[in-house]
Amino acid sequence: MIIYNVERSWFPMKNDAEKYRKELGLKPDALHKLTINDRDELAALLNGLVALKREELPAGAVTEPQVAPAKVVNQNIIEVPDYIPHFLAEAQAKKEGKQISWVSSESSPGS
């Protein structure tokens, strides 16, 4: 299942979400696509939305979806040294549709 979010509103259709985003005068990155693959992910989303505290969860409730295999996760991460400006790294990661993993460097380049 795919749903779309703009601000605090949820939409089943992307066109409706885009129209709402434009009405609010927001940039394209304000539209978020959420894919729900199974019941565990749906339960995690709903529990997250109602902000249940872990201590209050009944047995069997899910707060985080099942983790994808390491191979899949690693394909979606770019390792970036911490001396690279954030805005450059974020722009490149967004362009490639990946997430950033900041890597600590002992010293800056050229030293």
Side-chain angles (χ1 to χ4, degrees), residues 19-79:
K19 180 179 174 184
Y20 182 68
R21 176 191 64 78
K22 290 176 182 176
E23 286 175 6
L24 294 178
L26 300 172
K27 294 181 179 181
D29 62 355
L31 174 69
H32 303 281
K33 176 181 174 182
L34 179 67
T35 303
I36 301 172
N37 297 309
D38 57 31
R39 296 184 322 183
D40 287 339
E41 290 181 0
L42 177 59
L45 169 68
L46 295 174
N47 284 331
L49 289 175
V50 297
L52 288 174
K53 296 179 183 171
R54 287 196 184 273
E55 308 85 53
E56 298 172 357
L57 290 174
V62 179
T63 57
E64 297 177 11
Q66 297 295 320
V67 177
K71 180 180 178 184
V72 174
V73 172
N74 291 338
Q75 289 174 347
N76 292 313
I77 294 178
I78 298 175
E79 288 190 350

Side-chain angles (χ1 to χ4, degrees), residues 80-85 88 102-111:
V80 180
D82 59 3
Y83 56 80
I84 301 294
L88 291 176
W102 294 100
V103 180
S104 179
S105 62
E106 296 294 320
S107 60
S108 59
S111 42

